[in-house]
Amino acid sequence: MSSDMSDKNYTYLIEEIEKLKFHNRTLLTLLGNLHPDAMEDTTIHEAVILFDLSKNDLRELKDLIINYDQNRFAFEQKALLINPVFSKDNLLFLVNSFVNSDMLTTVGNTILSDYEVKTK
């Protein structure tokens, strides 16, 4: 297969992936508009789509949450090294999404209470 042909295939696949990502984000926005109460309890699956996280980002974030040592500054800095999208607010949103998904509930609630975020 020529390099030109593989470049075209690669470009086509990237475009298709972008369409799927856009479709997922648009669908989430629509669902959020139709059911705003349901979006208050965002699941980790919804958050992954929303922030366009890779499997590796998610794995590293999960490890960071599991190993939380109650040093909020270090927690935020390590999160930013994983992915620049992990600002403090986004990070807390994602932690909350883990809790809503019944994953890492104990440590997730500890993190949220350290930040004094209202939990259920």
Side-chain angles (χ1 to χ4, degrees):
M1 184 173 359
S2 71
S3 174
D4 188 43
M5 182 65 141
S6 63
D7 286 348
K8 283 182 182 173
N9 287 341
Y10 176 76
T11 303
Y12 172 76
L13 284 174
I14 294 297
E15 287 170 359
E16 290 302 303
I17 289 167
E18 288 304 315
K19 284 181 200 171
L20 278 173
K21 287 182 194 173
F22 176 77
H23 173 72
N24 283 339
R25 282 190 293 267
T26 305
L27 189 58
L28 267 178
T29 303
L30 175 64
L31 287 171
N33 290 335
L34 293 174
H35 305 287
D37 295 345
M39 291 306 283
E40 288 176 15
D41 300 326
T42 307
T43 65
I44 192 63
H45 176 76
E46 291 163 339
V48 165
I49 293 170
L50 204 60
F51 291 111
D52 192 21
L53 301 179
S54 68
K55 186 188 285 187
N56 196 52
D57 289 342
L58 193 60
R59 187 178 301 121
E60 287 186 45
L61 178 62
K62 187 182 94 180
D63 290 344
L64 183 63
I65 291 170
I66 289 170
N67 296 310
Y68 178 67
D69 62 0
Q70 297 191 293
N71 181 338
R72 294 185 307 187
F73 180 76
F75 181 66
E76 291 171 26
Q77 295 306 304
K78 289 175 186 174
L80 287 171
L81 290 173
I82 296 169
N83 187 325
V85 79
F86 293 156
S87 67
K88 177 185 155 194
D89 289 340
N90 291 348
L91 190 56
L92 292 175
F93 180 84
L94 286 158
V95 170
N96 204 25
S97 299
F98 273 105
V99 172
N100 290 336
S101 302
D102 295 325
M103 296 168 61
L104 312 177
T105 310
T106 305
V107 71
N109 279 325
T110 300
I111 292 168
L112 294 172
S113 67
D114 280 355
Y115 280 92
E116 297 179 1
V117 173
K118 189 176 128 200
T119 57
K120 293 184 177 20

